[in-house]
Amino acid sequence: MPSVNKVFLMGNLGKDPEMIVSQKTGGRFVKMTLATTDSWLNKKGDRTEKTEWHDCIVFSERLCDLILEYCQKGTLIWLEGSIQYSDYVDQHGV
């Protein structure tokens, strides 16, 4: 059975985008933190908000250049891509 790994996010950057250069390949990519906020009226009629934070990485060098030139903390952006999870093990094995 076929499946789809596609995500659309629209939110504000939580800090300025950061360019990273890979030590292995020399390739460049941009790392960003994106905040998406959902709001609704609770049972009492008060507005309630919940913010989710997303760590995003862009690999397209041309798109990286555009992001670094035009985007900064607070910029509203729309991202389209796929979800990939990675594990990180620190020096203590955690």
Side-chain angles (χ1 to χ4, degrees):
M1 183 175 254
S3 62
V4 175
N5 182 359
K6 191 74 155 177
V7 64
F8 301 95
L9 294 172
M10 185 174 73
N12 296 89
L13 293 177
K15 58 183 180 179
D16 290 342
E18 177 184 357
M19 184 183 69
I20 308 291
V21 178
S22 171
Q23 293 179 352
K24 292 180 182 179
T25 65
R28 299 181 313 137
F29 59 93
V30 169
K31 187 172 149 182
M32 303 179 292
T33 302
L34 184 70
T36 56
T37 303
D38 190 16
S39 66
W40 64 92
L41 294 177
N42 63 18
K43 292 180 181 180
K44 295 180 182 178
D46 298 325
R47 177 139 322 270
T48 304
E49 289 187 346
K50 181 178 181 184
T51 300
E52 298 287 342
W53 291 93
H54 311 274
D55 293 325
C56 304
I57 298 175
V58 176
F59 294 103
S60 164
E61 288 206 20
R62 177 67 183 129
L63 189 53
C64 288
D65 292 338
L66 292 171
I67 290 169
L68 291 170
E69 184 174 349
Y70 295 107
C71 297
Q72 60 203 2
K73 179 180 178 178
T75 301
L76 178 67
I77 62 171
W78 172 280
L79 290 179
E80 180 178 337
S82 60
I83 295 176
Q84 295 179 5
Y85 294 101
S86 58
D87 294 326
Y88 172 76
V89 179
D90 66 10
Q91 68 249 15
H92 304 293
V94 178

